Amino acid sequence: MAAAREKVAARHVRRELLENQSLELLQTLHLVTRDGQLNADARRKLKQVNHLVGLLQPALDDVQGRVEAPTVVDVGSGNAYLGFVLYELFFKDRAAGEVLNVESRAELSAKGNERAQALGFSRLRFTTASIAEAAYPKKLHLLTALHACDTATDDAMAVALAHQSDHIALVPCCQAELAQQLKDARPKVEASMQALFSHPWHRREFGSHLTNVLRALVLEANGYQVTVTELAGWEHSLKNELILARRVGHQNGIAKQRLAALLDATGVAPKIVRVLRGEAGVAG
Ligand SMILES: C[S@@+](CC[C@H](N)C(=O)[O-])C[C@H]1O[C@@H](n2cnc3c(N)ncnc32)[C@H](O)[C@@H]1O
């Protein structure tokens, strides 16, 4: 465990790479230092991204087996380590298909575009926009949102649902919205249920858990098969819940009922639910 927090000397860096992953990519992304070392933070990030890529492999194999020019979208992409790794491993050697990164901070998308150009990754694109307002291709094949803060994950889900993304991968982050809603709803909630979130600390934890339970139910209700799993060991990140969804197409009445019952019992309405009800901005 301690070893994962240590830097890696230049002569050992190749051991950290996936098959077909290049050192050049890590250098361009500044994940390795000038003298070729992988420092502890960069190593943790690389481990997390590479682990996620392993978990996404079945989704990528599925779309690449069926679709000539698939579209992968990573929203809230930040430095876009995920997008770069996906492009190098799954798109670079194919004739068609693209990876689109959506990021609200212009300096990050500008840097991403520069790096994509330097690497000759011509179908790795960046757009500066909010997740809810960006322009997307009509059909998405895989949408990923890795640590998109708070309700940005709901915006990502709304985009994925509106564009019938074949696959969705969410690693939610700091889902704080429901703690306040639980506080306001407490007087109307059944007493035994109230005990679950009477203390502020429990309200934060329960609100965070409830948010992701509701997100999984929303996806199921809207025709997805959902798997909730761990992104990486606790030694790599504290935010490590991964929600993977595969579109099976048929609406799920049981999930709809469970979703309605849980919303009713807890008195909350997270952003994705409000968006789908038409009460909050709908993603394009
Ligand atoms: C915690 S970082 C994660 C970056 C990257 N996905 C990763 O895991 O390394 C969250 C990123 O999402 C961007 N972001 C947050 N909310 C957003 C929104 N509504 N629309 C677009 N980008 C957003 C932030 O600017 C930031 O770069």
Side-chain angles (χ1 to χ4, degrees):
M1 207 172 182
R5 296 198 202 102
E6 286 166 11
K7 70 177 181 193
V8 182
R11 65 184 184 285
H12 295 313
V13 166
R14 284 201 178 275
R15 288 186 198 160
E16 303 287 320
L17 305 188
L18 296 175
E19 207 186 326
N20 300 327
Q21 193 163 47
S22 73
L23 206 51
E24 187 198 359
L25 176 69
L26 302 197
Q27 279 157 349
T28 306
L29 296 178
H30 293 185
L31 283 171
V32 292
T33 58
R34 265 171 216 213
D35 51 3
Q37 291 188 14
L38 193 56
N39 71 32
D41 276 352
R43 184 186 193 191
R44 203 178 54 227
K45 194 76 214 170
L46 182 66
K47 264 192 186 305
Q48 198 175 57
V49 170
N50 283 352
H51 183 66
L52 177 59
V53 168
L55 295 169
L56 293 178
Q57 172 108 35
L60 287 152
D61 288 347
D62 169 50
V63 293
Q64 296 207 318
R66 286 185 296 111
V67 184
E68 207 183 310
T71 300
V72 170
V73 176
D74 183 44
V75 297
S77 51
N79 284 312
Y81 299 128
L82 177 64
F84 276 97
V85 171
L86 288 177
Y87 190 90
E88 176 168 65
L89 299 181
F90 296 94
F91 288 80
K92 186 168 70 90
D93 296 330
R94 286 175 60 103
E98 67 167 359
V99 178
L100 169 65
N101 296 278
V102 176
E103 168 57 49
S104 55
R105 287 172 57 192
E107 74 278 16
L108 294 183
S109 39
K111 193 164 68 183
N113 269 324
E114 250 170 55
R115 289 172 168 175
Q117 227 167 9
L119 288 158
F121 289 3
S122 57
R123 287 168 285 112
L124 177 67
R125 289 200 291 124
F126 288 79
T127 179
T128 304
S130 77
I131 296 168
E133 285 161 2
Y136 297 91
K138 192 162 185 280
K139 169 74 185 169
L140 301 181
H141 299 96
L142 166 63
L143 178 138
T144 59
L146 184 54
H147 298 153
C149 327
D150 198 7
T151 56
T153 297
D154 300 272
D155 294 338
M157 285 176 66
V159 170
L161 292 174
H163 295 266
Q164 304 195 335
S165 188
D166 290 337
H167 298 271
I168 304 171
L170 307 168
V171 180
C173 174
C174 51
Q175 47 280 10
E177 186 193 34
L178 289 200
Q180 184 59 44
Q181 290 188 16
L182 284 167
K183 191 175 178 186
D184 297 340
R186 204 166 47 166
K188 291 171 263 164
V189 170
E190 204 230 311
S192 59
M193 182 74 115
Q194 278 185 34
L196 284 169
F197 55 87
S198 290
H199 298 284
W201 178 273
H202 289 161
R203 198 149 55 239
R204 219 165 39 234
E205 296 295 303
F206 180 71
S208 164
H209 176 63
L210 180 61
T211 305
N212 288 340
V213 170
L214 290 167
R215 285 171 173 161
L217 280 172
V218 165
L219 290 170
E220 283 173 355
N222 284 279
Y224 286 81
Q225 198 173 65
V226 173
T227 307
V228 181
T229 185
E230 187 185 34
L231 173 57
W234 285 104
E235 71 272 28
H236 306 308
S237 169
L238 291 178
K239 303 158 193 158
N240 71 345
E241 179 168 341
L242 170 64
I243 302 174
L244 284 173
R246 185 173 69 88
R247 190 163 183 273
V248 287
H250 40 84
Q251 305 253 321
N252 178 334
I254 294 175
K256 272 189 184 170
Q257 280 172 17
R258 283 189 183 146
L259 174 63
L262 192 52
L263 291 170
D264 190 49
T266 53
V268 297
K271 184 165 186 194
I272 185 59
V273 168
R274 300 197 307 279
V275 169
L276 294 177
R277 286 177 183 159
E279 295 165 8
V282 182

